[in-house]
């Protein structure tokens, strides 16, 4: 009986202490729209402009090469009937090598542009990190969510995107994209 009373007393003590230990802090949430920061900040717009310009230039360069290869292909088709089999095989092989080379160049350029964009975005996010920490501290928040994760909200006062963009514009008004960054190595198939 004494054991039962002791067990009940300890259980009661444990229950009375549990709420004090188990009560988590109340969440105070702020929201940012990372896509809007990338789209509307000065650095984000600068990055997008440079990437688009490089992509357009690459497309123009590769299109010109593609048209030349197409013209060569048409010429080869016309000549293939009159060529000796060994010459024909060599010409077809050389033509296919040019086609593959162009495809490889296009893929490498695409990977280079993606790597340059990723590096620029990473630099922007590194600059944005301390800005967000300061905004969170100022607002007394303990949690930051991306606006894409918010399903429903009745007020918008917790969105710190505009403040983040303003401070990012002051700290990083422009950005020079490095197009010579090496793309990440591709996994072997």
């Amino acid at each position: 009986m004494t054991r039962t009373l002791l067990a009940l007393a300890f259980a009661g003590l444990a229950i009375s202490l549990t709420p004090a230990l188990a009560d988590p802090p109340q969440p105070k949430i702020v929201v940012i729209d990372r896509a809007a920061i990338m789209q509307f900040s000065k650095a984000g717009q600068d990055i997008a402009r440079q990437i688009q310009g490089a992509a357009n230039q690459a497309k123009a360069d590769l299109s010109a090469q593609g048209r030349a290869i197409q013209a060569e292909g048409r010429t080869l088709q016309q000549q293939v009937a009159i060529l000796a089999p060994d010459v024909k095989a060599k010409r077809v092989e050389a033509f296919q090598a040019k086609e593959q080379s162009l495809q490889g160049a296009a893929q490498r350029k695409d990977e280079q542009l993606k790597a340059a964009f990723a590096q620029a975005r990473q630099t922007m996010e590194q600059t944005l990190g301390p800005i967000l920490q300061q905004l969170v501290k100022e607002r007394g928040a303990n949690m930051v969510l991306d606006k894409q994760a918010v399903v429903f909200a009745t007020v918008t006062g917790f969105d710190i995107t505009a403040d983040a963009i303003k401070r990012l514009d002051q700290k990083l008004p422009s950005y020079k994209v490095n197009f010579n960054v090496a793309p990440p190595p591709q996994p072997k198939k």
Side-chain angles (χ1 to χ4, degrees), residues 71-159:
E72 186 178 331
R74 286 190 295 273
T75 302
L76 182 60
Q77 278 182 330
Q78 293 169 353
Q79 296 173 348
V80 84
I82 59 172
L83 293 174
D86 57 332
V87 174
K88 174 180 159 182
K90 286 179 183 176
R91 286 255 186 100
V92 168
E93 186 178 315
F95 177 75
Q96 289 173 340
K98 286 181 183 180
E99 282 183 319
Q100 289 175 350
S101 176
L102 180 62
Q103 289 173 353
Q107 185 175 356
R108 283 189 301 279
K109 192 63 174 173
D110 183 55
E111 290 168 359
Q112 183 184 30
L113 289 173
K114 286 178 182 177
F117 179 73
Q119 183 184 48
R121 185 177 187 127
Q122 181 181 14
T123 300
M124 222 175 104
E125 288 183 6
Q126 287 171 343
T127 305
L128 185 62
I131 293 169
L132 290 178
Q133 288 175 352
Q134 184 63 36
L135 285 168
V136 165
K137 185 177 178 184
E138 289 171 11
R139 301 277 178 107
N142 57 12
M143 187 182 299
V144 180
L145 291 178
D146 190 300
K147 193 170 189 173
Q148 304 301 321
V150 177
V151 176
F152 178 76
T154 58
V155 293
T156 59
F158 50 82
D159 190 335

Side-chain angles (χ1 to χ4, degrees), residues 19-42:
L21 298 175
D23 282 345
Q26 291 298 314
K28 176 126 194 249
I29 300 170
V30 290
V31 173
I32 62 162
D33 188 340
R34 292 171 58 153
I37 291 171
M38 191 68 189
Q39 183 178 1
F40 297 115
S41 68
K42 289 178 182 178

